Amino acid sequence: MTLQQPATVSGLEHTILFEYETLVNNVEKMNHTISQMNGTDVVLLVDKLRTLEKKAGLVYTLFKASVYALVTSIQELDMNAEQGTNRPVL
């Protein structure tokens, strides 16, 4: 599929139409690739993505806990400094 530029189409319109044509071609290629995949490949890919999603969720939770612990520790140090005590933070 080739886009021909009529005389009434401006340069910007031609650029937009060209990008749209490129997008359509890429979608067609992707649909062709997906149609070639068999059901087993798709199931395997989905399982791997689920595992990755679980791991990412765990990392995010651990990161939030670490940040919370750090902020709490800093707040306690600031409170101790304001009170003038040398008591260690437990």
Side-chain angles (χ1 to χ4, degrees), residues 1 3 15-29:
M1 176 165 52
L3 193 66
T15 303
I16 291 171
L17 290 173
F18 178 75
E19 290 298 327
Y20 181 73
E21 179 184 10
T22 304
L23 176 65
V24 168
N25 288 335
N26 288 340
V27 169
E28 287 176 357
K29 287 178 189 175

Side-chain angles (χ1 to χ4, degrees), residues 42-52:
V42 173
V43 170
L44 182 63
L45 180 63
V46 169
D47 287 341
K48 287 182 179 182
L49 288 173
R50 282 191 185 128
T51 303
L52 179 64

Side-chain angles (χ1 to χ4, degrees), residues 1-2 4 9 13 15 21 23 36-37 40 48 51 65 67 73 81-82 87-88:
M1 176 165 52
T2 308
Q4 299 197 359
V9 177
E13 291 171 332
T15 303
E21 179 184 10
L23 176 65
Q36 288 179 341
M37 294 175 69
T40 307
K48 287 182 179 182
T51 303
V67 169
S73 175
E82 288 174 4
R87 183 176 56 91

Side-chain angles (χ1 to χ4, degrees), residues 28-29 32 48-49 55-56 60 67 70 74 83:
E28 287 176 357
K29 287 178 189 175
H32 180 68
K48 287 182 179 182
L49 288 173
K55 289 179 181 179
Y60 177 68
V67 169
L70 182 65
I74 290 172
Q83 294 173 357

